[in-house]
Amino acid sequence: MKLITILFLCSRLLPSLTQGEVSQEIDCNDEDVFLAVDVALKKYNAGNQSGNQFMLYRVTEGTKMVGSETFYSFKYQIKEGNCSVQSGLTWQDCDFRDAEEAATGECTATVRKRGTKKFSLATQTCKITPGNGPIVTAEYTCLGCVHPISTDNPELQPVLKHAIEHFNNNTEHSHFFALEEVKAAQRQVVAGANFEVTYSIVQTNCSKKDFLLLTPECKSLPNGDAGECRDSAFVDIKQKIVQFSQNCDLYPGEDLEQPLPEDCLGCPKKIPVDSPELTEPLGHAITKLNTDNSHSFYFKIDTVKKATSQVVGGMKYFIEFIARETECSKESNTELTANCEVKPIGQSLNCKANVYMRPWENKVQPTVNCRALETITMLRRPPGFSPFRSVHAQETKGTTRRLNCEYKGRPSGAGAESAPGSKAESSHLAQ
Ligand SMILES: *[C@@H]1O[C@H](CO)[C@@H](O)[C@H](O)[C@H]1NC(C)=O
Ligand SMILES: *[C@@H]1O[C@H](CO)[C@@H](O)[C@H](O)[C@H]1NC(C)=O
Ligand SMILES: *[C@@H]1O[C@H](CO)[C@@H](O)[C@H](O)[C@H]1NC(C)=O
Ligand SMILES: *[C@@H]1O[C@H](CO)[C@@H](O)[C@H](O)[C@H]1NC(C)=O
């Protein structure tokens, strides 16, 4: 029972941020990997009318994408088992069929995680090689399911073009902004398609005064103002964007390092990171951070890296800070207090906050945007606990982590072959 609790805590420790999408490495000890593969494989077996069930042999690649939704993308190898699809058994209850006549296969799947332990299959492609015969491919796409797509998918081009135009048409900034980088994108097919895209933008050297449009001659300013946006668009079957919403946070550029004109009232001013003036806006920022993220522990402000204030019909603060996970859980504490100590092994976040305050109206508008700084060191679980044994972990290729998580099989029966070795190779991870 204790083990279960530890495991539960571990999986909840993974950062779950409200904005942006972060790809994370996964390893064979991540219980969610097994649960996600199980859902995908059961779906595959359920789609087969006759013949034998396939069993998990091993997981070879995997990434976890954490955004407003969590997705696992992975590749796994399967082998034919000795119990039929109609037997009513689950694949875990079968044994591998004799190697010579058994079919083998490889599947690529994307699974969405909902809630703490619910998984649903978004897409899957399986290539099956029968014991003797040609390769058969089976595809599965969950129509209507949201799933991540590549950030360079050409279908995103019209959406991004529209998004940048929309931003430039609807912001007061003196200069045009251009797209910097697409960070994440999701698509849902529904008589047309819904897109959700996260990207960054950057100020160009073309002012709206001198230019009517953003043109290719407008170049990004390396120290210009920058922004992060998260947009939703609905593209109908005629490829027309019929619905669009945009949510951008703008951050002042580095050129603030240069002295600003002394007497410019509405200009952003640098303020010392330990200024007492920051106490209130920092309080709003950390409260917002803790409310918005679904992490089970409170974060507190560790270091303030820089801060500016600007008089704009109220006060606008821009603050960059590092927040760290504390030992106070949201479950047993109603709020973050001064007594909450930083966790020795916890998550750190690099955050940028915009806090707009109009004290005479009691109005406060904080926005906070954070990125995970370092992933937490996973607690090592007792050997034999994971359903996988990691044979050897290989190099990371791009953002896809090469894995070699071999399914151990049942503790008894055919799983017996794994018993002698399984104690020694509990968690042999790369780095
Ligand atoms: C069903 O399983 C058999 C092997 O038992 C395989 O050859 C066949 O391709 C599978 N059918 C489908 C629709 O996946
Ligand atoms: C599968 O094989 C195992 C071991 O050979 C055997 O004990 C089991 O009964 C078989 N299952 C079925 C459904 O034939
Ligand atoms: C932006 O403004 C231009 C000029 O008024 C207009 O042609 C264009 O359709 C607008 N784009 C968006 C996305 O609002
Ligand atoms: C912007 O920068 C590019 C490259 O440095 C230059 O060719 C262009 O003339 C500049 N445009 C303006 C309006 O300053």
Side-chain angles (χ1 to χ4, degrees):
M1 212 50 212
K2 272 228 176 76
L3 279 180
I4 304 289
T5 321
I6 293 171
L7 194 64
F8 181 64
L9 280 175
C10 285
S11 59
R12 299 241 307 208
L13 278 178
L14 293 165
S16 160
L17 305 175
T18 45
Q19 287 176 334
E21 192 166 271
V22 191
S23 280
Q24 293 174 353
E25 293 180 350
I26 53 180
D27 67 53
C28 303
N29 283 342
D30 186 342
E31 189 204 21
D32 283 352
V33 177
F34 181 74
L35 296 176
V37 175
D38 181 48
V39 164
L41 180 52
K42 281 189 177 137
K43 194 85 184 179
Y44 178 75
N45 281 329
N48 212 337
Q49 305 295 316
S50 60
N52 287 328
Q53 297 203 32
F54 277 89
M55 298 178 56
L56 176 62
Y57 170 50
R58 63 180 174 190
V59 182
T60 53
E61 281 176 17
T63 333
K64 174 178 180 172
M65 284 153 286
V66 181
S68 56
E69 314 253 12
T70 301
F71 289 95
Y72 285 91
S73 279
F74 47 85
K75 200 177 248 187
Y76 64 99
Q77 294 174 350
I78 52 179
K79 285 184 179 175
E80 191 178 347
N82 72 347
C83 46
S84 72
V85 186
Q86 295 104 322
S87 64
L89 299 168
T90 59
W91 65 264
Q92 284 95 331
D93 298 324
C94 310
D95 285 293
F96 287 119
R97 209 178 153 193
D98 284 342
E100 306 90 76
E101 44 196 25
T104 55
E106 187 173 70
C107 301
T108 314
T110 303
V111 170
R112 173 179 172 201
K113 183 176 182 186
R114 334 163 83 142
T116 48
K117 285 284 163 271
K118 267 189 87 181
F119 296 85
S120 58
L121 183 63
T123 63
Q124 172 156 262
T125 304
C126 291
K127 286 194 171 58
I128 305 294
T129 314
N132 41 16
I135 298 178
V136 192
T137 308
E139 303 245 9
Y140 173 87
T141 303
C142 167
L143 282 177
C145 290
V146 179
H147 58 88
I149 56 172
S150 160
T151 52
D152 50 20
N153 188 314
E155 284 182 60
L156 287 174
Q157 287 312 315
V159 176
L160 289 165
K161 183 172 172 288
H162 182 94
I164 299 296
E165 254 182 57
H166 181 94
F167 180 85
N168 285 322
N169 284 2
N170 295 286
T171 36
E172 307 260 291
H173 202 283
S174 59
H175 285 69
F176 283 105
F177 277 68
L179 177 69
E180 188 182 40
E181 187 195 356
V182 183
K183 305 222 160 135
Q186 295 184 352
R187 182 184 54 195
Q188 179 189 29
V189 179
V190 277
N194 277 315
F195 290 93
E196 192 174 288
V197 58
T198 308
Y199 57 92
S200 57
I201 51 175
V202 60
Q203 184 183 341
T204 68
N205 65 353
C206 294
S207 73
K208 289 183 179 168
K209 198 159 48 87
D210 302 331
F211 287 82
L212 278 174
L213 288 170
L214 177 71
T215 63
E217 65 183 290
C218 303
K219 297 296 172 218
S220 303
L221 292 173
N223 298 326
D225 293 354
E228 290 246 335
C229 304
R230 188 182 191 112
D231 300 356
S232 314
F234 176 64
V235 182
D236 69 9
I237 38 178
K238 292 184 198 121
Q239 304 299 315
K240 218 176 127 206
I241 298 173
V242 287
Q243 261 176 42
F244 182 75
S245 77
Q246 186 165 61
N247 192 345
C248 296
D249 291 324
L250 266 195
Y251 304 106
E254 297 294 333
D255 50 3
L256 283 171
E257 305 292 346
Q258 291 151 21
L260 290 160
E262 282 288 300
D263 49 356
C264 167
L265 248 183
C267 288
K269 279 197 190 58
K270 262 188 100 161
I271 42 180
V273 293
D274 54 358
S275 162
E277 193 189 342
L278 286 177
T279 315
E280 193 189 342
L282 277 173
H284 294 304
I286 196 70
T287 307
K288 175 81 175 157
L289 189 160
N290 281 322
T291 326
D292 281 2
N293 86 30
S294 53
H295 211 281
S296 20
F297 291 82
Y298 284 108
F299 280 83
K300 73 188 240 183
I301 296 192
D302 188 63
T303 349
V304 178
K305 290 165 73 180
K306 64 181 168 191
T308 59
S309 67
Q310 190 180 6
V311 183
V312 274
M315 267 313 224
K316 193 167 187 173
Y317 292 92
F318 164 76
I319 315 169
E320 195 173 333
F321 61 88
I322 292 181
R324 293 188 58 184
E325 188 179 355
T326 69
E327 285 171 332
C328 296
S329 77
K330 291 182 182 169
E331 226 160 73
S332 43
N333 300 269
T334 50
E335 57 172 12
L336 174 74
T337 63
N339 300 335
C340 294
E341 295 288 338
V342 164
K343 241 190 206 166
I345 303 176
Q347 180 75 53
S348 294
L349 303 174
N350 191 25
C351 302
K352 290 174 176 180
N354 255 316
V355 183
Y356 177 60
M357 306 197 306
R358 285 170 83 107
W360 60 93
E361 282 176 12
N362 248 336
K363 189 172 159 183
V364 179
Q365 275 176 352
T367 59
V368 185
N369 209 325
C370 299
R371 292 252 167 265
L373 268 184
E374 61 207 45
T375 27
I376 34 110
T377 324
M378 293 283 270
L379 295 181
R380 289 287 160 96
R381 291 182 198 121
F385 188 72
S386 158
F388 294 120
R389 89 181 100 149
S390 46
V391 178
H392 54 97
Q394 295 153 21
E395 309 262 286
T396 307
K397 181 189 89 187
T399 54
T400 308
R401 168 128 158 140
R402 298 222 148 249
L403 293 172
N404 196 347
C405 309
E406 199 172 308
Y407 181 62
K408 279 180 193 167
R410 286 181 287 161
S412 58
E417 44 97 23
S418 68
S422 63
K423 284 195 187 68
E425 27 68 347
S426 57
S427 34
H428 175 209
L429 302 174
Q431 294 111 33

